[in-house]
Each structure stands twice: as C-alpha cells, then as structure tokens.
Amino acid sequence: MNNEISGFSKLSKVEKIEWIAKQYFSQPEEAISLVKNYWNTDEKLQQLHDEFIENTISNFYLPLGIAPNFNINGKNYTVPMVIEESSVVAAAAKSAKFWSKRGGFKTTVLNTEKIGQVHFIYQGDKSKLVDFFNQRKAKFYSETESITKNMQKRGGGILDIVLNDKTADLENYYQLHATFETKDSMGANFINSCLEQFAKTLKQEAQTFEFFSEEEKNIEVVMSILSNYVTNCIVRAEVSCSIEDLAEKQIENPKEFAEKFVRAVQIAQIEPYRAVTHNKGIMNGIDAVVLATGNDFRAVEAGAHAYASRNGKYSSLSHATIENGIFKFWLEIPLALGTVGGLTSLHPLVKLNLEILEKPSARELMQIVAAVGLAQNFAALRSLTTKGIQEGHMKMHINNILNQYHATAEERIKVAEYFKDNTISHASVAGFLEEIRK
C-alpha cells in the first residue's frame, strides 16, 4: 500500500478523515463514524479544540476524576486529576483522607527560578570573550525591555545572565545561561523570546567589539531555548506523625509497617530498577494534576527524572525516616508550572479545574501537585509493603475487563461475588465469563 501523501495539512478536516479511512480501514464508513462520534456538538467549542494543534481530526478523551480531602498547609483542596490508569485517583483520595487525620501535608516552595540558555560557538581568546560579556552585559537587559516590561510589572523578569565556558565538553562551546522569574505563568514563550533577543544582541555587539579579530566576531549561535531542568524551581511536600498514629485497619502493627516502608524507600534510593517504577508512581499523581490544569507534563517528567539522576545515579525522588518515634515521609521535586497563559486561558475544562482548586497561584499549584505526588507514592508503598499492589489495582481494573467483554448487569453481579475470594487477573475474569455464558 502506498500511503505517502503530499499536502495533507492543506486538506479540510473531513478530507483528512476520508483519506485516513480509505487508506487504513477495510470498512471506511465505520472509521469515519467513530471519529465523528467524538466531535463536540457545540461547533465553536469543537473549533477551539481543533485549533489547539495541527492536522486535527477528532478529540481523544481521557477521564477527569476528583480526589477530595487534601489538607495542605491547613487548607482543604479538592483535586482534579486527568489520567487513564485505574486505581490512581482512588489511591490519591485514600492517602489524602489518611493524612488529613494526621496533620495533613506540609509543603514549601524552595525556589521558583526558571532557566534558559543561548548555545554558541566562539573561536578565539577566551579572555576577550569574558571582557566582551562583562562590558556588554547591560545591553542584554536593555535590548529585551520591550519583552520584559509586562513581566516586570508582575514582579518577574530576568534575574541574571552569566557566561559559561563549556569548551572542556565540546570544542569552542559557550553558553549564555540566564535565570528568570515568571510569576504565575509557566513562562516558556517569555523565556524563549528573551533568549532569541539575547542571541541577536550577542551577534550584533560582537561585530562592533574592537578587541575581537574578524574570526572572533563571527560568533555562531547554535540555538536559543529554555531548559526544562529547573534545579532552582523546587517544591517540598512532607507528611509526618508518631509511629503509633499510623495504625489503621490495614496497619495493625504500625512499628513494623513504618520500618518496612522506610526500607522500601531505601531500596528505591540505591536500586535504579526499582527507582524508576517508584518514581513512576509519584508521576502518576503529578502528571494527572499537571494535565488537568493545562500544564506540560512532558516537561515536568523530563525535569523530574533528570533531578532523580543529579548525583550521577538514578534514585528515588522521595525519602523516609524514623527518628525518635516519628515517621517522616517527604518529596522534593522540580516543578515549573503556570496558572495563566497557554491552555489555562483557553481550555474550558482547564479553567473549570482551576476554579475547583480556587484559582491557585503558580506557587500554590506547585505545592498541590507535589502533595498529590507524595500521596500517590505513599499509597503505592503502603500497598506494596502490606497486601501487595495487585489486589487493589485489579479490583479497580476489573470494570475495564467487564466492559471489554460487554458483560451484562447479571454477569457483573456473578463476577463480583466470585472474585471476592478468588485471585483477579484478566485471564481469570475472561475465563469465568466464558464459563457462566456456557
């Protein structure tokens, strides 16, 4: 089959769908019908969604769930979460309720600096480049005033610009390394606009610097781009209580539970194979809130995993201790989030979710997201160190299996009764359905 096409982007939405249906489906009309079933009946709302990205043909739904009872710094939050994985929202809600009776989550924003870099090649005397930068540094600020004016009114802007010598890693490679404060916006467009102006200023000013040779004047800017590795945009979330206060229905021996829990975290700190799955559990909670609030979960993921490797080995993002009879569990993570700009102003459900969170500032959202990540991690480790992860997960997953096999109401009752005392797996549920249907 020759499925190469020229000018796909110029086709109308209907034409794109028809081409895909004819190319890839034996029953194209069914494919077309399925795609159109996910269109919003409100034409203006559908157009809004169509224009978020390119070559749009339909909408792809993810469930929006709610995790209530998050007590964070003494304030109660009801948290929206967008995720396709069963048991995540339930686990977050269960942890939130558990800790709401034990002092809640304590969170602190340690810093909110964002980073951007101009990467360039300079072939010449380093001392001349240093003198040039020091003499012309003020120009980088003045040449970006039109970009930074509004941000400065909100208390943000360019914090600093430094020259980094990276020639030990790559021949003739240098950086302009800039730090920014972007207040309630994530700030990607603001930062990138500043960086591109820095690059223009760098090249223009180099041409007029009298101490550069002709070769040294020809600075090659490779790229200008923000970094998603925000090592100075860190938030900490923590829970703690006396060991005795950990007791509940599933934790009959709180001392034994606390010790086993701490060992599980220690294993994730030293064993990368475990750490990846451990941190994935944290990101289950974090990504779900990041998505629900219209932020960039890919950037958050990349930054978090880089931070987990900052000491030269991939390790746990969370930590746990027992000291003087007190159990303490905490998380520190880089989170560059925004509550204004981008999808936060456009997507109707994002706006609704921010309303549910009572219109948080970016700093407040950082703290909410970190608390949910910690809650998710606590829930996973509590299951792993007590009854195991599969029992609860498969109970939540069983509904997906029943939907897949189009189970009737009567069959669902029989399945629920049978699996009260039997191990749940996809194969066992499918097999039981097959038996009762005979």
Side-chain angles (χ1 to χ4, degrees):
M1 179 188 293
N2 180 15
N3 52 20
E4 187 175 339
I5 183 173
S6 178
F8 182 77
S9 63
K10 294 182 173 63
L11 299 178
S12 69
K13 184 165 76 168
V14 170
E15 288 170 337
K16 290 184 179 81
I17 294 167
E18 289 175 347
W19 181 84
I20 291 166
K22 289 173 184 175
Q23 286 288 320
Y24 294 102
F25 296 91
S26 58
Q27 296 178 301
E29 292 305 317
E30 285 187 12
I32 291 170
S33 176
L34 178 63
V35 168
K36 289 185 176 181
N37 279 343
Y38 282 85
W39 287 4
N40 200 294
T41 54
D42 183 327
E43 290 185 9
K44 284 188 177 179
L45 188 58
Q46 183 56 54
Q47 184 179 353
L48 177 70
H49 283 71
D50 285 347
E51 292 174 358
F52 285 158
I53 62 168
E54 308 76 38
N55 292 342
T56 310
I57 62 168
S58 192
N59 307 309
F60 186 91
Y61 293 171
L62 288 175
L64 168 60
I66 294 292
N69 301 317
F70 268 92
N71 185 293
I72 303 172
N73 296 337
K75 180 178 177 180
N76 285 322
Y77 292 89
T78 297
V79 182
M81 302 176 70
V82 171
I83 191 166
E84 86 298 340
E85 185 175 334
S86 58
S87 79
V88 169
V89 177
K94 189 173 181 180
S95 279
K97 192 170 184 181
F98 179 92
W99 285 108
S100 69
K101 299 175 181 177
R102 294 164 175 82
F105 296 83
K106 303 294 185 289
T107 59
T108 309
V109 174
L110 304 182
N111 212 325
T112 57
E113 286 183 7
K114 315 284 175 60
I115 292 169
Q117 296 169 322
V118 177
H119 306 269
F120 67 94
I121 303 298
Y122 165 78
Q123 300 184 51
D125 186 336
K126 179 190 170 183
S127 64
K128 290 187 192 178
L129 182 64
V130 171
D131 289 341
F132 162 76
F133 175 73
N134 290 334
Q135 289 182 36
R136 305 295 172 93
K137 184 175 179 178
K139 270 276 189 180
F140 293 106
Y141 290 92
S142 62
E143 293 288 323
T144 51
E145 280 181 358
S146 62
I147 303 169
T148 61
K149 183 171 59 177
N150 289 335
M151 185 65 76
Q152 286 175 342
K153 287 178 182 176
R154 303 202 300 269
I158 303 164
L159 300 177
D160 196 13
I161 311 167
V162 297
L163 174 67
N164 283 342
D165 179 355
K166 305 293 285 185
T167 55
D169 301 314
L170 181 64
E171 189 177 9
N172 301 323
Y173 169 40
Y174 293 85
Q175 299 170 349
L176 294 183
H177 182 95
T179 50
F180 301 84
E181 171 58 63
T182 61
K183 304 309 286 182
D184 285 337
S185 69
M186 190 273 169
N189 289 332
F190 167 75
I191 292 170
N192 287 334
S193 294
C194 288
L195 294 171
E196 289 183 4
Q197 182 57 56
F198 291 166
K200 290 177 186 175
T201 302
L202 175 67
K203 288 177 69 69
Q204 289 168 359
E205 291 299 312
Q207 291 298 316
T208 61
F209 189 61
E210 59 183 328
F211 298 108
F212 277 163
S213 67
E214 286 304 312
E215 183 181 31
E216 289 167 334
K217 287 179 181 179
N218 292 322
I219 288 173
E220 177 195 348
V221 173
V222 179
M223 55 186 166
S224 309
I225 186 70
L226 90 164
S227 172
N228 292 125
Y229 188 31
V230 283
T231 50
N232 283 326
C233 191
I234 305 291
V235 59
R236 177 187 173 101
E238 177 183 315
V239 289
S240 64
C241 68
S242 67
I243 288 177
E244 292 76 18
D245 286 343
L246 289 169
E248 62 156 1
K249 184 179 178 181
Q250 293 176 5
I251 304 173
E252 294 178 359
N253 186 332
K255 183 175 183 294
E256 181 183 295
F257 167 77
E259 290 172 348
K260 197 172 181 182
F261 190 103
V262 170
R263 281 197 293 272
V265 175
Q266 290 170 340
I267 289 169
Q269 289 170 341
I270 64 164
E271 172 51 66
Y273 283 93
R274 170 59 198 145
V276 170
T277 309
H278 177 96
N279 289 342
K280 187 267 181 185
I282 293 171
M283 302 314 291
N284 275 346
I286 285 176
D287 285 351
V289 187
V290 170
L291 264 172
T293 56
N295 279 277
D296 186 346
F297 76 93
R298 286 88 50 199
V300 167
E301 279 271 351
H305 295 304
Y307 193 71
S309 306
R310 67 192 182 282
N311 295 320
K313 182 179 180 181
Y314 191 88
S315 182
S316 167
L317 287 163
S318 62
H319 312 272
T321 58
I322 300 169
E323 293 179 4
N324 301 318
I326 300 296
F327 170 82
K328 186 164 73 170
F329 182 46
W330 74 97
L331 164 76
E332 287 186 7
I333 190 166
L335 289 174
L337 304 175
T339 55
V340 299
L343 280 187
T344 61
S345 312
L346 285 174
H347 198 299
L349 282 177
V350 168
K351 290 193 283 187
L352 178 127
N353 291 336
L354 290 171
E355 287 275 356
I356 293 171
L357 291 171
E358 300 182 64
K359 297 182 178 179
S361 66
R363 290 175 68 93
E364 191 178 0
L365 183 59
M366 288 170 68
Q367 294 173 83
I368 294 166
V369 170
V372 175
L374 189 68
Q376 204 70 44
N377 198 207
F378 179 79
L381 290 171
R382 177 172 57 182
S383 291
L384 284 167
T385 56
T386 54
K387 61 185 179 178
I389 202 78
Q390 279 303 90
E391 181 183 333
H393 180 75
M394 290 309 296
K395 278 183 179 177
M396 298 299 297
H397 186 55
I398 197 168
N399 197 50
N400 292 339
I401 302 170
L402 294 172
N403 286 338
Q404 182 181 342
Y405 287 94
H406 306 288
T408 65
E410 185 181 347
E411 287 172 339
R412 288 170 186 271
I413 292 169
K414 290 179 179 179
V415 167
E417 186 64 31
Y418 178 80
F419 284 101
K420 279 181 182 177
D421 303 310
N422 290 283
T423 301
I424 299 169
S425 69
H426 191 284
S428 63
V429 174
F432 181 73
L433 278 172
E434 188 178 341
E435 281 297 314
I436 62 176
R437 285 174 176 178
K438 285 179 180 178

